[in-house]
């Protein structure tokens, strides 16, 4: 029963979602929207669980004097400050919440994102080696794409690097991506099918398959 | 008697009386009834485009003499609707502000009920500058002297809903054929062993766990940055289940930072179940599966921090990733961990391929659960996927050939074939 | 020597990249704009062809992290829309979107003397994603009874005559993730609203397929797209300034890759000689 009931529920919910896709009748659409509302409500409650987990892990670190417990203080105080200003003074423009968001959150997130530029350069230096034909091809294409993003190459008269890089992006790259996408789409349907039919049960503790 | 009154007094009496008479005369002239013609030939029908059964098409003719009403202009129309039952009143449902427009859609109705519809033409005094913008404007315009002339009622009529969307026939057939192929493959799988192409990334899973066990270091598992509604996240959770069973057997710690509370809840349950199945429930550490944040780069920063502090021996990045992929993988590379990634986010594949030891590309992510479990039923699903892929490739080749031919022979030849693939 | 060069401390690369980005930025050095990409031009032309007063919707589906790359596009687009006396409506599918919209539009509106509520509106964030887009197909005012500042949308002059996508001239989704696909699936395909997108360079390759099928009529590709759009609308912005940094960084990476390969082949040759 511990396995059967979740599988049956999963099957019913999944079957309903498939049927509603093909049946436009309002009653089904109404239940569909209701189910989506449920999902949002469950998500909101799950956020409480998430916050509980966040607090517990940080409080545990502080209690046990974990080597980096000072950062747990920073996390909890930051949360309390944002919560206080968001709840009591609102989140509209020109509020304290908005000020903190624009002057702390925005630069912090932008900083982490900007690490990408540094990591990309070091990863390119480390791995872009013309070891084989395929690797050489990858290297040459990468260089052409990068040059295509540099406006001054537009002034080179004898070769249209910008046009060639656009062509690479819109024809071969898109074709390759479509190929990957087809495989992914088929994989998604098959995975969904095996979960709906209860063939895959590892997430329910069913031994990684239906077994026989 | 009048003759006895002084001339001054007579003037005083006569002038106001004459003025009063003039006023009364003009007032009587104004009271003459002005004809306000109503909309004509009202027709209500079901909207054939609306398959949900929520809409009716309302059509009428502009009143013929609308432009001849002196002192007023036709400001637009009010559409009234009410249920067709005893004592039910019609209430204004929609405003048509353009007097030249004589058709509208009534939405928000129910196919189980029948309705009566009426259309009113609203005449606004010429000196009033307001416009019939929406229902809120009606009361204001009435206060300013606007007059309404209503058409005859039409109905009862019910909107008709459909039980199948014919535009999705191709999707239904394709889905049914593909599902049948997968199910048949699973059915025939019970008859014998099936070959499965070795996937190096998954072959390396055992090495990664073994290495972590030898070094006494944990394993880090990141199940992507999208929510539980993303099938890539579900595939990542299935892989986590198989992986957790093996780490439980070796009693190696597994750290799972989550960026979605629903994923956290499900993953805790999955890992717990895996430890129970492996016969090591006491080794399960719920505090190792925790929520961090739903902020993309906040999460990336936190996971980078975990990698630098905890120094996991193996990092797994499975599921949907965005721009943070290289930030995670490059930091992991720096710590010297074995890194295995798997994603169907094609834009992130180059980053993982560059910085990780093994990468599962696209559909391999969905095949991983079957590969790791080696369960014949799950492996058979891969066979079904392959057959589906062959069919899809065949359709592509035929479609491309026909589309190319149509460029020379005219579009009609292949129109029917190609239109079948349109949604 | 080559061995050292091949395996030198990656922090040196970080320093070089930092200098390549910072120096052009601090010296305010700019590069000529180069050729205008066809996808940028087509978006510009689409907005040029809209009659005065047509509502244009921008979906601000990016967060603070990708703001440096996407915000220049938002500012140039807002400038183009408002200077052409079109109505601008900001929506978003992500929680940080309303702040992004205000940051981008308020300075542009001030510059052009455009008023909130009359010329532009920020409808704010509503959860639901695909469901929200479907709701807007039925009624935008029902999907957004109030704007981000809690004004009832039925009372805003900018919303007059705006019922659903039929009344929107163009939707431009500015995003750093897969949001344009959601817009295409749930707004363009069922309701046939014209759509364009502006995305980070790393995501751009995902959207070329939609240009080929006509589901997108234009695409701004990363900082280069932003710089091109700034040039087309004649407004100086961060796009052009950022392009100099990006170009130098790209050239530096190419030089590093070349050095790495020379080192690699030199070492390989030495090794094969020893053998």
């Amino acid at each position: 029963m511990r396995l059967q009931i979740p599988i049956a529920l999963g099957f019913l919910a999944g079957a309903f979602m498939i049927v509603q896709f093909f049946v436009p009748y309002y009653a089904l659409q109404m239940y569909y929207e209701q189910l989506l509302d449920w999902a949002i409500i469950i998500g909101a409650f799950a956020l409480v669980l998430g916050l509980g987990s966040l607090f517990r892990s940080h409080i545990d670190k502080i209690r046990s004097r974990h080597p980096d417990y000072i950062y747990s203080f920073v996390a909890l105080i930051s949360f309390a400050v944002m919560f206080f200003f968001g709840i009591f003074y609102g989140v509209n423009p020109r509020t304290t919440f908005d000020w903190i968001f624009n002057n702390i959150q925005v630069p912090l997130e932008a900083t982490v994102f900007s690490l990408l530029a540094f990591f990309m350069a070091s990863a390119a230096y480390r791995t872009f080696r013309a070891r084989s034909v395929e690797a050489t091809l990858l290297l040459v294409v990468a260089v052409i794409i990068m040059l295509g993003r540099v406006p001054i190459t537009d002034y080179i008269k004898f070769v249209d690097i910008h046009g060639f890089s656009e062509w690479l992006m819109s024809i071969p790259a898109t074709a390759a991506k479509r190929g990957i996408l087809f495989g992914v789409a088929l994989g998604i349907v098959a995975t969904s099918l095996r979960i709906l039919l209860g063939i895959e049960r590892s997430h329910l503790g069913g031994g990684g398959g239906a077994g026989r | 008697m009048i003759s006895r009154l002084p001339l001054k007094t007579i003037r005083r009496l006569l002038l106001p009386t004459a003025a009063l008479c003039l006023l009364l005369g003009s007032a009587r002239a104004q009271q003459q009834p002005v004809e306000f013609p109503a909309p004509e030939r009202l027709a209500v029908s079901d909207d054939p485009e609306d398959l949900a059964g929520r809409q009716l098409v309302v059509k009428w003719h502009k009143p013929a003499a609308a432009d001849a009403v002196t002192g007023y202009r036709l400001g637009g129309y009010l559409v009234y609707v009410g249920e067709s039952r005893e004592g039910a009143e019609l209430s204004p449902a929609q405003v048509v502000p353009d007097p030249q427009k004589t058709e509208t859609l009534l939405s928000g109705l129910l196919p189980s009920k029948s309705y009566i519809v009426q259309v009113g033409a609203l005449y606004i005094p010429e000196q009033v500058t307001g416009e019939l913008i929406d229902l809120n404007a009606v009361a204001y315009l009435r206060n300013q002297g606007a007059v309404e002339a209503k058409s005859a009622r039409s109905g009862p009529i019910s909107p008709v809903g459909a039980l199948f969307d014919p535009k999705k026939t191709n999707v239904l057939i394709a889905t049914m054929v593909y599902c049948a192929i997968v199910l048949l493959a699973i059915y025939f799988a019970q008859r014998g062993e099936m070959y499965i192409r070795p996937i190096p990334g998954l072959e390396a899973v055992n090495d990664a766990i073994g290495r972590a066990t030898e070094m006494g270091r944990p394993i880090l598992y990141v199940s992507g940055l999208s929510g539980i509604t993303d099938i890539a996240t579900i595939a990542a959770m299935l892989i986590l289940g198989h992986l957790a069973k093996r780490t439980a057997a070796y009693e190696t710690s597994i750290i799972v930072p989550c960026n979605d509370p629903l994923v956290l809840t499900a993953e805790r349950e999955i890992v717990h179940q895996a430890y129970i199945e492996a016969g090591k429930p006491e080794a399960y550490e719920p505090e190792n599966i925790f929520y961090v944040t739903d902020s993309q780069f906040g999460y990336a920063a936190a996971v980078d921090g975990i990698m630098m502090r905890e120094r996991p021996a193996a990092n797994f990045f499975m599921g949907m990733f965005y721009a943070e992929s290289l930030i995670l993988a490059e930091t992991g590379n720096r710590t010297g961990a074995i890194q295995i990634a798997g994603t169907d986010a094609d834009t992130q594949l180059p980053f993982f391929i560059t910085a990780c030891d093994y990468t599962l590309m696209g559909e391999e992510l969905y095949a991983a659960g079957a590969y790791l479990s080696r369960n014949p039923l799950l492996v058979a699903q891969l066979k079904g996927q392959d057959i589906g892929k062959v069919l899809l490739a065949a359709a592509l080749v035929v479609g491309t050939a026909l589309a190319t031919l149509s460029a020379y022979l005219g579009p009609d030849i292949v129109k029917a074939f190609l239109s079948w693939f349109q949604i | 020597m080559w061995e050292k060069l091949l395996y030198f401390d990656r922090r040196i690369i970080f320093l070089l990249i930092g200098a390549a980005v910072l120096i052009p930025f601090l010296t305010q050095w700019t590069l000529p704009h180069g050729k205008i990409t066809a996808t940028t031009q087509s978006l510009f032309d689409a907005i040029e062809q809209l009659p005065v007063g047509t509502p244009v919707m921008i979906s601000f589906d990016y967060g603070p992290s990708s703001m440096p790359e996407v915000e220049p596009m938002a500012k140039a687009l807002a400038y183009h829309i408002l200077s052409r006396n079109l109505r601008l409506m900001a929506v978003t599918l992500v929680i940080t979107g309303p702040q992004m919209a205000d940051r981008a539009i308020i300075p542009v509106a001030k510059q052009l003397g455009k008023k909130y509520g009359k010329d532009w509106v920020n409808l704010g964030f509503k959860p639901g994603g695909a469901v929200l887009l479907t709701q807007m197909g039925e009624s935008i005012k029902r999907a957004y009874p109030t704007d981000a500042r809690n004004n009832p949308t039925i009372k805003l002059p900018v919303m007059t005559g705006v019922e659903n996508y039929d009344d929107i001239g163009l939707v431009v989704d500015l995003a750093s993730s897969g949001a344009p696909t959601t817009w295409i699936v749930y707004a363009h395909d069922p309701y046939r609203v014209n759509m364009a997108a502006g995305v980070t360079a790393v995501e751009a390759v995902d959207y070329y397929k939609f240009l080929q099928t006509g589901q997108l009529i234009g695409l701004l590709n990363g900082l280069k797209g932003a710089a091109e759009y700034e040039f087309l609308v004649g407004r100086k912005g961060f796009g052009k300034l950022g392009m100099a940094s990006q170009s130098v960084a790209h050239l530096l990476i190419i030089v590093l890759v070349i050095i790495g390969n020379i080192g690699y082949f030199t070492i390989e040759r030495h090794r094969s000689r020893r053998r």
Side-chain angles (χ1 to χ4, degrees), chain C:
Chain C
M1 177 247 190
W2 282 111
E3 294 252 355
K4 267 186 194 168
L5 197 65
L6 213 54
Y7 302 107
F8 65 74
D9 192 337
R10 65 183 196 152
R11 281 174 290 191
I12 295 171
I13 298 177
F14 292 171
L15 272 176
L16 288 173
I17 286 286
V21 172
L22 270 177
I23 292 168
F25 186 73
L26 293 176
T27 55
Q28 302 273 306
W29 182 56
T30 53
L31 286 168
H33 63 84
K35 281 180 203 162
I36 303 293
T37 311
T39 59
T40 309
Q41 187 69 48
S42 56
L43 171 57
F44 178 81
D45 293 344
I47 293 181
E48 277 293 298
Q49 282 156 14
L50 292 174
V52 169
T54 309
V56 177
M57 199 177 256
I58 299 183
S59 189
F60 288 80
D61 298 327
Y62 60 92
S65 50
S66 41
M67 191 185 70
E69 202 173 355
V70 188
E71 193 175 87
M73 296 177 198
K75 283 186 170 166
L77 267 167
Y79 183 84
H80 191 200
I81 292 163
L82 293 175
S83 64
R84 279 221 59 233
N85 292 320
L86 305 170
R87 286 183 275 169
L88 174 56
M89 293 161 62
V91 291
T92 177
L93 301 182
V94 299
I95 201 155
T96 47
Q99 278 94 338
M100 296 295 109
D102 277 343
R103 273 184 66 106
I105 304 171
I106 289 173
V108 175
K110 259 189 195 164
Q111 185 190 349
L112 294 168
K114 299 288 177 182
K115 284 190 180 138
Y116 184 85
K118 182 174 162 279
D119 303 301
W120 72 281
V121 63
N122 181 357
L123 291 174
F125 168 76
K126 292 258 292 183
V131 183
L132 177 76
L133 297 187
T134 310
Q135 268 181 353
M136 281 204 278
E138 304 302 322
S139 169
I140 294 171
K141 285 175 193 158
R142 247 203 323 268
Y144 287 99
T146 56
D147 67 357
R149 291 148 174 71
N150 276 331
N151 302 309
T153 43
I154 51 164
K155 287 192 177 165
L156 293 172
V158 68
M159 298 293 289
T160 305
V162 179
E163 192 45 47
N164 50 36
Y165 293 128
D166 293 347
D167 307 307
I168 304 291
L170 178 71
V171 174
V172 187
D173 190 8
L174 301 179
S176 56
S177 62
T181 310
T182 312
W183 269 96
I184 288 166
V185 172
Y186 294 97
H188 172 274
D189 290 355
Y191 300 101
R192 298 284 153 205
V193 61
N194 286 330
M195 272 214 64
V199 293
T200 50
V202 70
E203 295 283 338
V205 71
D206 255 356
Y207 298 101
Y208 279 87
K209 55 182 182 267
F210 295 121
L211 286 164
Q212 289 164 3
T213 55
Q215 286 159 299
L216 287 179
I217 56 173
L219 178 71
L220 299 183
N221 182 343
L223 210 52
K224 188 169 195 284
E228 290 171 350
Y229 211 84
E230 282 170 0
F231 172 77
L232 287 172
V233 298
R235 183 183 188 273
K236 278 187 184 174
F238 181 76
K240 190 167 185 178
L241 195 63
M243 264 320 281
S245 295
Q246 186 179 295
S247 301
V248 176
H250 276 184
L251 293 174
L252 175 67
I253 293 173
I254 292 169
V255 170
L256 284 173
V257 168
I258 292 168
I259 293 173
N261 275 282
I262 294 172
Y264 171 73
F265 283 109
T266 313
I267 291 167
E268 285 292 299
R269 211 173 50 196
H270 278 292
R271 275 183 195 158
S272 59
R273 268 186 201 164
R274 266 182 226 154
R275 272 181 228 137

Side-chain angles (χ1 to χ4, degrees), chain A residues 9 37 42 71 79 93 116 131 159 168 171 192 198 201:
Chain A
L9 281 176
D37 286 346
I42 292 169
Y71 298 117
F79 177 87
L116 203 55
R131 287 192 181 97
V159 55
L168 283 171
I171 309 291
S192 308
R201 298 173 183 183

Side-chain angles (χ1 to χ4, degrees), chain B residues 29-345:
Chain B
Q30 271 187 7
Q31 275 175 11
Q32 274 181 2
V34 178
E35 286 290 325
F36 292 103
E40 296 155 7
R41 284 175 278 171
L42 175 65
V44 186
S45 57
D46 174 55
D47 176 13
E49 296 280 312
D50 162 49
L51 302 177
R54 308 291 310 262
Q55 290 186 167
L56 288 173
V57 183
V58 185
K59 288 180 183 174
W60 63 92
H61 281 75
K62 187 182 168 185
D67 299 330
V69 181
T70 47
Y72 289 85
R73 61 189 162 89
L74 180 58
Y77 304 96
L78 273 164
V79 182
Y80 293 83
V81 67
E83 281 182 39
S84 161
R85 59 180 157 82
E86 201 72 11
E89 283 197 7
L90 305 192
S91 52
Q94 216 175 79
V95 153
V96 181
D98 181 2
Q100 305 307 322
K101 209 176 155 190
T102 55
E103 186 179 331
T104 191
L105 281 178
L106 265 182
S107 49
L109 308 174
L110 297 175
S112 52
K113 292 179 176 169
S114 56
Y115 296 92
I116 302 285
V117 179
Q118 192 175 28
V119 176
L122 196 76
Y123 293 90
I124 305 168
E126 266 165 1
Q127 68 271 19
V128 175
T129 49
E131 295 290 334
L132 180 65
I133 305 166
D134 48 32
L135 285 171
N136 295 324
V138 177
Y140 166 77
L141 291 170
R142 279 192 181 136
N143 281 339
Q144 298 294 311
V147 182
E148 193 182 355
K150 289 182 181 174
S151 70
R153 293 183 173 198
S154 177
I157 184 167
S158 302
V160 182
L163 289 176
F164 179 68
D165 185 352
K167 283 182 197 154
K168 290 176 180 167
T169 311
N170 49 3
V171 182
L172 180 67
I173 293 172
T175 311
M176 281 169 67
V177 167
Y178 180 57
C179 289
I181 291 170
V182 173
L183 292 177
L184 279 175
I186 290 172
Y187 175 75
F188 287 111
Q190 299 176 30
R191 297 192 175 177
E193 276 291 302
M194 222 174 251
Y195 172 74
I196 181 164
R197 168 174 68 87
I199 302 175
L202 296 173
E203 292 287 322
V205 165
N206 278 342
D207 296 342
I209 297 171
R211 187 168 179 254
T213 312
E214 274 174 25
M215 295 169 85
R217 289 209 203 139
I219 283 170
L220 178 77
Y221 191 90
V222 177
S223 56
L225 269 94
S226 57
I228 202 159
T229 50
D230 192 337
I231 198 84
T233 310
I234 294 176
M237 293 198 300
L238 297 178
I239 299 169
L240 174 65
H242 295 292
L243 201 68
K245 252 177 252 168
R246 298 185 187 191
T247 58
Y250 291 110
E251 293 192 17
T252 304
S253 293
I254 182 161
I255 302 173
V256 189
C258 302
N259 85 321
D260 182 302
L262 277 176
V263 174
L264 163 83
T265 317
E267 287 186 343
R268 272 196 173 164
E269 195 56 32
I270 285 169
V271 175
H272 192 200
Q273 284 298 338
Y275 273 73
I276 291 170
E277 257 185 69
K280 302 268 177 67
E282 71 290 345
Y284 169 62
E285 297 162 300
E287 65 278 6
N288 277 353
I289 305 158
F290 52 91
Y291 176 72
V292 182
T293 169
D294 66 348
S295 150
Q296 181 187 12
F297 291 102
Y299 180 79
V303 175
D304 278 3
I306 292 166
M307 285 192 244
M308 296 306 289
R309 286 191 300 270
E310 308 289 339
R311 300 267 164 179
N315 297 332
F316 289 84
F317 306 111
M318 300 283 172
M320 176 56 89
F321 290 87
Y322 304 96
E324 72 294 333
S325 59
L326 187 66
I327 297 175
L328 298 174
E330 190 63 9
T331 309
N333 184 287
R334 201 187 147 192
T335 62
I338 284 189
Q339 300 205 99
I340 302 174
T343 183
D344 60 355

